[in-house]
């Protein structure tokens, strides 16, 4: 399957309308299961059409923004699809952000309304009190004791008449996602109506082979580009059933859904897989009904993939995607998993590895990863300089470094900002980290560069040990020396209780560098 063999959506295209029409015959089938109940496909389409019309009735105009700051639930999906249907632009933001970050996003996006979970109202109110925003309406999902002037989400939906929606163009701005901030301030990434279609076709169906009979559960949240595909656009485009969870994806919370709802597809991140494997509550293979798992967010260590497959008997399809490309563009393939690599280019996408001179590098050499494909974002909002640097003609600069192996697979080497040069040779932090986590006492590791007394760059590892386990720095250094070239072993090791991470589970190595330089 390629972008040329998948039928392109028509020029006039609305993704929400596309889903409603595609599932018209599945009206009585369960679409969504959340913590408070379920919603059938017919009910989902009706509620979304009503909510879109409610936004219009409140005075929101086409392409105006509405901030979506809510826990995963059927209300989140109704709000997102309802806004798309009406041509209003939902701006999905992560639910772990502090008020100052929400205030920044409100001002940056010029959102006219906020849709918030009742449990998140204190953060929203604190953010709005900071000023600098254009918010006219506050809509509260599943909350009690609403602030004066706020609208109850369920009442808005119930009182509205289903609207006909907007006659949108496939290339029209449809929704925003803010970058995770793993390398600094988040950027408003503007995506189109058609981008959701392309990722669902090329990855959801083309690689994961998601089908109507699947029950899908994503630990990655809907505000995350990876989770938006896993738990909304992919399963709803084929008529599957989605399990949604409002709480944070602790091992115990994930195991509860795996054993109660029996999902056939589970989507997680490497940190989560590692934590689950280390948990004493890990369910037996017979207690779940998995046929496939996926991973993204960071490269999956080989050891974690192999241990998961041994325990559950299913593969983890590891891939790399980005907010800018909306979902995964380089991935392992069911039946052809090469743990320790990120697999092959997803059909429909082209990738190139380029050196510092801008030319392609040879196999086995580390280069900057560029991607070309139909789901690329339009731009970063109000950031022309970074837009030009990232979106270069038909190519998108990922900010990641990779090397291509002889078998056509690609191996992750690290973020551009994270790469180290030791003794004049590039060292991938991820390679050292992936080796450290093979030690039976290590839960997580992060590697940065540290300047020694002679002014030379050496590797330093921050290590989190598993509960009840012990290991010395000398033990871990010897372990790495046995498995990697001598110049790669961490000269310095510091033990931490936890690593700094974004809400999507990515390690914030820049925070560790700040700690080192403080």
């Amino acid at each position: 399957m390629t972008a040329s063999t998948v039928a392109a959506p028509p020029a006039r295209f609305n993704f929400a309308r596309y889903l409603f029409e595609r599932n018209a015959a599945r009206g009585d089938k369960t679409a969504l299961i959340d913590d408070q109940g379920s919603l059938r496909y017919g009910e989902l389409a009706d509620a979304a059409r009503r909510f879109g019309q409610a936004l219009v009735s409140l005075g929101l105009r086409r392409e105006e923004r509405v901030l979506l700051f809510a826990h995963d639930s059927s209300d989140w999906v109704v709000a997102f699809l309802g806004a798309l249907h009406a041509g209003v632009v939902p701006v999905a933001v992560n639910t772990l952000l502090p008020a100052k970050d929400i205030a920044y996003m409100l001002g940056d996006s010029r959102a006219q309304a906020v849709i918030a979970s009742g449990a998140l109202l204190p953060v929203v109110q604190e953010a709005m009190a900071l000023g600098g925003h254009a918010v006219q309406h506050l809509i509260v999902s599943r909350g009690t004791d609403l602030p004066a002037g706020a609208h109850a989400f369920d009442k808005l939906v119930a009182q509205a008449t289903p609207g006909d929606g907007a006659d949108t163009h496939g290339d029209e701005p449809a929704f925003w996602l803010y970058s995770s901030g793993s390398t600094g301030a988040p950027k408003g990434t503007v995506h189109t109506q058609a981008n959701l279609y392309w990722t669902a076709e090329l990855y959801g169906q083309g690689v994961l082979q998601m089908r109507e009979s699947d029950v899908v559960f994503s630990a990655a949240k809907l505000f995350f580009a990876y989770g938006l595909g896993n738990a909304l656009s992919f399963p709803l485009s084929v008529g599957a059933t989605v399990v949604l969870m409002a709480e944070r994806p602790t091992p115990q919370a994930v195991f509860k859904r795996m054993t109660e709802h029996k999902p056939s597809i589970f989507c997680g991140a490497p940190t989560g897989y590692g934590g689950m494997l280390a948990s004493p509550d890990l369910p037996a293979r017979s207690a779940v009904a998995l046929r496939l798992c996926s991973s993204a967010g960071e490269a999956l260590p080989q050891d974690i993939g192999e241990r998961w497959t041994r325990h559950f008997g299913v593969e983890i399809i590891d891939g790399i995607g980005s907010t800018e490309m909306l979902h995964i563009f380089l991935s392992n393939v069911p039946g052809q998993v090469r743990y320790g690599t990120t697999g092959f280019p997803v059909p429909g996408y082209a990738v190139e590895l380029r050196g510092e001179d801008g030319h392609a590098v040879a196999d086995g050499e580390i280069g900057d990863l560029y991607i070309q494909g139909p789901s690329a974002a339009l731009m970063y909002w109000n950031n022309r300089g970074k837009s030009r640097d990232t979106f270069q003609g038909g190519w998108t600069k990922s900010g990641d470094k990779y090397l291509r192996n002889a078998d056509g697979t690609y191996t992750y080497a690290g973020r551009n900002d994270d790469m180290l040069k030791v003794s004049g040779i590039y060292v991938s932090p991820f390679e050292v980290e992936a080796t450290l986590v093979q030690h039976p006492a290590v839960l997580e590791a992060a590697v940065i560069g540290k300047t020694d007394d002679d002014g030379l760059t050496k590797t330093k590892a921050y290590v989190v040990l598993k509960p009840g386990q012990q290991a010395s720095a000398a033990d871990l250094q010897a372990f790495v020396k046995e498995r990697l070239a001598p110049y790669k072993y961490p000269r310095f090791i510091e033990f931490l209780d936890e690593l700094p991470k974004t809400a999507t589970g990515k390690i914030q190595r820049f925070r560790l560098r700040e700690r080192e330089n403080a």
Side-chain angles (χ1 to χ4, degrees):
M1 178 182 291
T2 66
S4 61
T5 59
V6 172
R12 309 304 301 185
F13 180 76
N14 183 287
F15 185 75
R17 182 180 294 117
Y18 163 77
L19 288 185
F20 303 155
E21 292 173 352
R22 193 172 176 88
N23 293 303
R26 300 186 179 103
D28 290 331
K29 184 184 177 186
T30 300
L32 307 171
I33 301 171
D34 68 13
D35 299 336
Q36 295 190 14
S38 62
L39 204 64
R40 294 175 293 182
Y41 270 98
E43 294 170 327
L44 171 60
D46 180 68
R49 288 190 177 106
R50 288 175 182 272
F51 184 72
Q53 186 58 41
L55 292 177
V56 173
S57 298
L58 288 175
L60 272 86
R61 296 173 296 181
R62 188 159 159 180
E63 294 191 27
E64 287 188 325
R65 273 76 63 192
V66 53
L67 201 79
L68 181 49
F69 183 59
H71 292 133
D72 283 16
S73 69
S74 59
D75 283 0
W76 200 107
V77 179
V78 168
F80 185 85
L81 292 179
L84 256 61
H85 191 249
V88 174
V89 176
V91 179
V93 297
N94 89 59
T95 56
L96 298 178
L97 291 176
K100 64 179 181 63
D101 290 341
I102 297 302
Y104 165 78
M105 293 173 180
L106 284 174
D108 184 56
S109 67
R110 298 200 295 272
Q112 299 295 303
V114 177
I115 306 163
S117 293
L120 297 172
L121 266 180
V123 180
V124 172
Q125 290 175 301
E126 183 181 348
M128 292 175 64
L130 294 173
H133 61 78
V135 175
Q136 302 296 314
H137 301 284
L138 176 59
I139 302 168
V140 182
S141 163
R142 302 183 182 184
T144 57
D145 300 323
L146 272 59
H151 306 276
F153 182 91
D154 56 352
K155 288 185 179 179
L156 275 183
V157 171
Q159 293 171 1
T161 301
D164 295 330
D167 181 25
T168 54
H169 194 285
D171 290 337
E172 187 170 315
F175 64 100
W176 296 13
L177 300 171
Y178 273 91
S179 63
S180 63
S182 61
T183 57
K187 299 176 289 293
T189 310
V190 182
H191 277 284
T192 70
Q193 292 277 352
N195 284 359
L196 291 160
Y197 169 88
W198 283 116
T199 55
E201 288 285 327
L202 296 176
Y203 196 75
Q205 296 177 54
V207 174
L208 296 182
Q209 300 169 26
M210 204 172 282
R211 49 187 182 250
E212 183 179 4
S213 58
D214 279 316
V215 176
V216 183
F217 173 43
S218 175
K221 299 299 185 180
L222 286 163
F223 65 77
F224 183 21
Y226 175 52
L228 183 64
N230 300 338
L232 196 155
S233 58
F234 295 2
L236 298 186
S237 69
V238 297
T241 296
V242 181
V243 176
L244 298 169
M245 178 177 72
E247 64 187 295
R248 295 183 68 172
T250 63
Q252 290 70 30
V254 171
F255 297 155
K256 182 175 186 290
R257 276 75 182 180
M258 278 188 177
T259 55
E260 287 185 2
H261 298 296
K262 305 287 187 180
S264 53
I265 295 179
F266 172 72
C267 308
T271 299
Y273 283 111
M276 286 187 282
L277 286 168
S279 172
D281 301 322
L282 185 71
R285 182 186 300 192
S286 60
V288 302
L290 298 170
R291 75 169 180 86
L292 189 69
C293 296
S294 78
S295 178
E298 287 200 306
L300 180 75
Q302 180 176 351
D303 178 63
I304 289 178
E306 291 175 345
R307 285 192 288 133
W308 184 270
T309 297
R310 281 197 300 271
H311 183 84
F312 286 111
V314 297
E315 298 174 320
I316 300 178
I317 308 304
D318 183 37
I320 182 175
S322 67
T323 305
E324 292 77 9
M325 295 301 296
L326 189 55
H327 213 274
I328 291 171
F329 47 78
L330 188 62
S331 177
N332 278 275
V333 179
Q336 299 181 53
V337 169
R338 307 284 192 272
Y339 285 132
T341 80
T342 316
F344 308 89
V346 171
Y349 294 87
V351 302
E352 284 187 3
L353 299 183
R354 302 177 187 174
E356 294 178 359
D357 59 1
H359 295 114
V361 300
D363 284 2
E365 293 183 11
I366 293 173
D368 294 316
L369 178 65
Y370 287 74
I371 316 101
Q372 187 177 65
S375 63
L378 293 173
M379 62 177 174
Y380 297 128
W381 178 256
N382 282 349
N383 203 326
R384 191 177 188 188
K386 288 191 178 296
S387 293
R388 283 182 164 181
D389 183 57
T390 298
F391 305 106
Q392 302 180 7
W395 293 91
T396 300
K397 181 181 179 181
S398 72
D400 296 291
K401 286 190 179 291
Y402 265 84
L403 59 86
R404 186 178 185 273
N405 303 305
D407 65 355
T409 59
Y410 288 74
T411 298
Y412 182 65
R415 293 287 298 173
N416 286 356
D417 293 341
D418 296 331
M419 290 297 293
L420 306 174
K421 226 172 191 180
V422 179
S423 302
I425 306 171
Y426 271 123
V427 174
S428 163
F430 178 75
E431 183 182 20
V432 182
E433 293 162 4
T435 303
L436 282 166
V437 298
Q438 294 176 35
H439 191 284
V442 175
L443 177 63
E444 295 178 316
V447 170
I448 65 168
K450 174 182 171 67
T451 303
D452 66 13
D453 293 338
D454 297 321
L456 301 174
T457 298
K458 305 295 183 186
T459 50
K460 176 173 181 176
Y462 288 88
V463 173
V464 178
L465 296 177
K466 295 175 181 175
Q469 297 290 322
Q470 292 184 340
S472 69
D475 292 337
L476 299 181
Q477 288 169 329
F479 184 83
V480 175
K481 282 181 181 178
E482 292 174 357
R483 290 160 175 80
L484 296 179
Y487 66 89
K488 296 182 179 180
Y489 87 91
R491 303 304 204 278
F492 310 95
I493 293 181
E494 183 175 338
F495 295 95
L496 297 177
D497 292 332
E498 60 181 358
L499 298 176
K501 296 172 187 169
T502 68
T504 56
K506 294 181 181 179
I507 296 171
Q508 293 177 309
R509 293 174 185 81
F510 76 97
R511 297 291 185 201
L512 297 174
R513 288 193 288 269
E514 290 173 354
R515 173 192 177 101
E516 193 63 38
N517 296 325

